[in-house]
Amino acid sequence: QSVLTQPPSVSAAPRQKVTISCSGSSSNIGNNYVSWYQHLPGTAPKLLIYENNKRPSGIPDRFSGSKSGTSATLGITGLQTGDEADYYCGAWDSSRGAGYVFGSGTTVTVL
Amino acid sequence: EVQLVESGGGLVQPGGSLRLSCTASGFTFSSYSMNWVRQAPGKGLEWISYISSGGGNIFYADSVKGRFTISRDNARNSLYLQTNILTDKDTGVYYCAREGGDGWFDPWGQGTLVTVSS
C-alpha cells in the first residue's frame, strides 16, 4: 500500500481540465518537495513537475503543480489524447527508514 | 544528450541473483546522486535504493534491505544493483534515475526486466 494516496483514475473530454490529488503526511509532503511523473507503459517515466510547482524545460504550461500542507495537486488543462498515461506523485519521507515514496498512481483517460 | 541505459535483467530462479547495471552519458555522473526504482506487473512505481554522488550515503527500501546492494563506479559512469535471494515479488521492470535536485528524478532509463520464476 502506497504512502501517498492518489485517485485510481480521472477522465475528461479533449480540451477540458483534470486535477489529480496526492495526499500524504507531515513526514513526506508536509516537509519535503513534491514531484510529478508521467508514465506510459513500456517507456521511461518522465518528470513533469519538480519542487512542488516548477516545470522542466520542454514541459508545456498545460501542466501545473501546487502544494498545500500535506497534499499536492497536478493540473492538466487543454487535455489531449497524448496525455493518456499513468501519473505519479513522489517525495522523500523523513520517517525513520522510509526513503522515497511514490503515490499509488492515477490513470488519466481522455474520453 | 543526457541518457541512462540499464542492462542485466533476465529470467532467474527463485533464490537466485542478478547484477543490474546502469550506464550514464551526457552529464558529469560523479556529481549526481542516483536511485533505483521498480515496477511490478500491474503495480505502481516503487523506490528501492539511493546512493549519493560519492557513494558515502546509501538507503534501501525495507522490501529489499539485506538482499540488494547498490554501488557505483564514477570512473566508469556506471551504477549497479546486486540483487540476491530473489523471489517472485521482485519480478518487474527496474529503472535507474538521476536525482536532479531535492527529491526529483530526471532522467530515467528505459528499464530492464527482471523475471523471477522457476
Side-chain angles (χ1 to χ4, degrees):
Chain A
Q1 191 161 349
S2 300
V3 173
L4 305 181
T5 302
Q6 298 178 230
S9 63
V10 297
S11 61
R15 297 180 298 281
Q16 298 304 304
K17 174 182 178 179
V18 295
T19 60
I20 300 170
S21 61
C22 175
S23 178
S25 68
S26 59
S27 65
N28 40 67
I29 293 178
N31 283 286
N32 293 291
Y33 285 122
V34 177
S35 54
W36 289 90
Y37 305 89
Q38 179 190 63
H39 190 206
L40 286 82
T43 70
K46 179 196 290 188
L47 176 68
L48 291 178
I49 298 290
Y50 67 100
E51 293 180 359
N52 303 333
N53 56 18
K54 299 176 182 176
R55 278 177 291 106
S57 61
I59 300 300
D61 59 6
R62 301 188 298 106
F63 295 90
S64 64
S66 64
K67 186 180 103 168
S68 178
T70 59
S71 293
T73 301
L74 174 71
I76 310 174
T77 59
L79 206 58
Q80 301 174 1
T81 55
D83 297 332
E84 287 200 330
D86 296 324
Y87 293 80
Y88 296 88
C89 56
W92 280 105
D93 192 308
S94 307
S95 298
R96 179 182 170 85
Y100 192 91
V101 290
F102 286 102
S104 43
T106 299
T107 299
V108 170
T109 301
V110 181
L111 300 173
Chain B
E1 180 192 4
V2 175
Q3 194 172 14
L4 298 171
V5 178
E6 301 94 337
S7 60
L11 175 63
V12 60
Q13 291 189 337
S17 301
L18 278 177
R19 188 194 196 206
L20 309 184
S21 298
C22 169
T23 303
S25 60
F27 65 98
T28 304
F29 180 72
S30 60
S31 296
Y32 291 87
S33 299
M34 298 294 295
N35 292 266
W36 286 99
V37 177
R38 70 183 178 185
Q39 183 177 37
K43 303 292 187 180
L45 299 175
E46 178 191 16
W47 170 85
I48 55 175
S49 189
Y50 159 97
I51 186 168
S52 60
S53 58
N57 288 308
I58 287 174
F59 306 123
Y60 297 101
D62 286 345
S63 58
V64 305
K65 200 172 296 183
R67 300 187 300 122
F68 290 12
T69 302
I70 192 172
S71 62
R72 64 190 297 161
D73 184 339
N74 286 342
R76 296 179 181 271
N77 292 336
S78 293
L79 173 73
Y80 306 102
L81 186 70
Q82 177 67 43
T83 67
N84 298 326
I85 319 175
L86 289 164
T87 75
D88 57 352
K89 292 182 174 56
D90 297 312
T91 292
V93 178
Y94 285 68
Y95 300 96
C96 61
R98 183 183 74 171
E99 184 146 355
D102 198 346
W104 47 276
F105 300 166
D106 181 62
W108 299 55
Q110 85 290 347
T112 187
L113 176 62
V114 172
T115 303
V116 184
S117 175
S118 55

